[in-house]
Amino acid sequence: MSETWLSRAAAVEARTRDLRHRIHANPELSGQERETAALVAETLMSLGLAPRTGVGGHGVVCDIAGGTPGPMVALRADMDALPIQEETGLPYASERPGVMHACGHDGHTAMLLGLALVLAAARDRLRGTVRLIFQPAEETVAGAAAMCAEGCMDGVSAVFALHAWPGVGVGVIATKPGPVMASTDTFEIVIQGSGAHGAYPHLSRDPIAIGALVVTAAQQIVARRIDPLEPAVITFGTFHAGTATNIIPAGATLTGTMRALSASVRALLPRALEETARGVCASQGATCSCTISTGVDPVVNDPAWTALAIDAARVELDAGSVAELHTPSMGAEDFGVYLRHAPGAFLRLGIGDKAVGHDCRYDFNDAAIVRGITCMAAIAEEALGAAARLSAP
Ligand SMILES: [Zn+2]
Ligand SMILES: [Zn+2]
C-alpha cells in the first residue's frame, strides 16, 4: 500500500476547505437546498461520477464503484442550514440574512465531497460500491424518510454518518454501540377553560393556572411513570394565552417535545401526557385536546458495525483519535431512519471547544476535515470487506 487514507485526505484538504467555505457563505434552509445540491452534483460530475439528483427533494445520491465488484455501503451527509442570523464575523460568513450553518452540515457536505475526491482516485482499492448520500432537510427530520422512500438505501449493506461535535477534541472520533441519539415527537395541548375579569377568578376556569398545573404534572410522568434507568424528556417550548393583565382568557395552547432512547418509553410518553393533561383539566372544570406529531426513531448503533468503524478509525488514525463514548445525547437526528433499512453507526467528529450547536457564533472547525475524511474512507473500505464476508456462502 503506497498511500494511506490519511495522506490521500490531506491531499484534498484545501479543496474541501474551499467547498466548505462556499457552502457556509450560501446556507439554505431545510427543503430549499437547491444551490447546495447543485454544487454537490457539479463537483461529483467533475470527477466523472454520475450523481442522481432530486432524490427526496434536493437529495443527491452518487455511487462510486470500486475496482472489484462487491457489496454496497453508504455514507451520509446532511446539507441544510438553520434560521439563525450569523454573528461570527468570519470572512466566509453567511451572505443570506437570517440563515446560517450552525450545526456543521456545511462541514459534513464538504467532507463527503472530499471523500468523493479521495475515493474517485482510489477506486482500485475498493471491493464493492460506496454510495454517497447528500441529504436535505435534516433539521426538520424529514429528509431521510423522503430519500429512503425514493430508494436511496436499496442494496445497501451498512450505513454510516459523521456529525460535527463541539466539546470533543478536534478530529477525535467518538461513538458507542446502542442508542446514541434520542427519538423526538412533538405535542400540542389546547386547553379550553372559560374567561372572566381578572378580579373575579371564581367566575372563570382559568386556562393559564390550569396550564401551569399541566406543565408541572407532566414532569411527574418522567419522575414517576418511567423506569428511572430509562432516560426521557418532556419539554414545553411554548405556552400562549391571554391579551391583558386584568383579563383571564378562555383558552391556552402549549407545545413541546418528547425525547426517548427506547421504543417502549417513546410509546408511553404521548399516552401518559394525554392522560395527564385530560385528568388535570377535568379536575379543574376545563377540557383539552392533545395532538401528537410523530418525529423520528432514536439512533441505535449496531454493535458489530460500530466496532468495525471504531477499529477502522483507530488503525488509520491513532489510538488517541478515537474516544469511547459513554452516554448518548437526548438530541435527535433522522439518521435512525436509514438504520431501519440497514444496520450501521452514527459517529461524532470532535470540533473542539467552539460555540455550541445552533448558536449564532458557531463555525465548523476546518482542522477536523482531514481526520473526518480519513475516518470515512477507512470505514468504507473495511465495511465493504465485512459485507462481502457476510454475504459469502
Ligand atoms: Zn442541528
Ligand atoms: Zn446537525
Side-chain angles (χ1 to χ4, degrees), residues 330-389:
M330 295 308 280
E333 235 294 341
D334 71 359
F335 186 72
V337 176
Y338 299 100
L339 296 177
R340 285 190 167 198
H341 299 266
F346 183 78
L347 299 90
R348 299 179 181 182
L349 171 67
I351 58 166
D353 289 325
K354 290 209 162 195
V356 294
H358 293 207
D359 184 272
C360 59
R361 287 154 300 177
Y362 180 98
D363 185 36
F364 176 82
N365 194 334
D366 290 328
I369 284 176
V370 171
R371 284 167 181 274
I373 295 172
T374 302
C375 172
M376 287 193 289
I379 289 171
E381 183 179 36
E382 290 304 315
L384 284 177
R389 286 192 292 280

Side-chain angles (χ1 to χ4, degrees), residues 33 75 95 117 171 181 228 241 249 271-272 274 280 312:
E33 307 87 344
L75 288 136
E95 290 166 12
L117 295 170
M181 299 292 286
R271 283 205 311 271
E274 185 161 5
V280 167

Side-chain angles (χ1 to χ4, degrees), residues 44 48-52 60-66 72-74 123 128-134 152 154 156:
L44 294 168
L49 298 168
R52 195 151 61 94
V60 180
V61 176
C62 186
D63 292 346
I64 302 178
M72 178 155 61
V73 299
R123 285 170 177 241
T129 298
V130 177
R131 172 166 289 179
L132 309 181
I133 298 174
F134 295 88
C152 79
D154 293 355
V156 173

Side-chain angles (χ1 to χ4, degrees), residues 103 105 139 358:
C103 199
H105 300 188
E139 295 291 356
H358 293 207

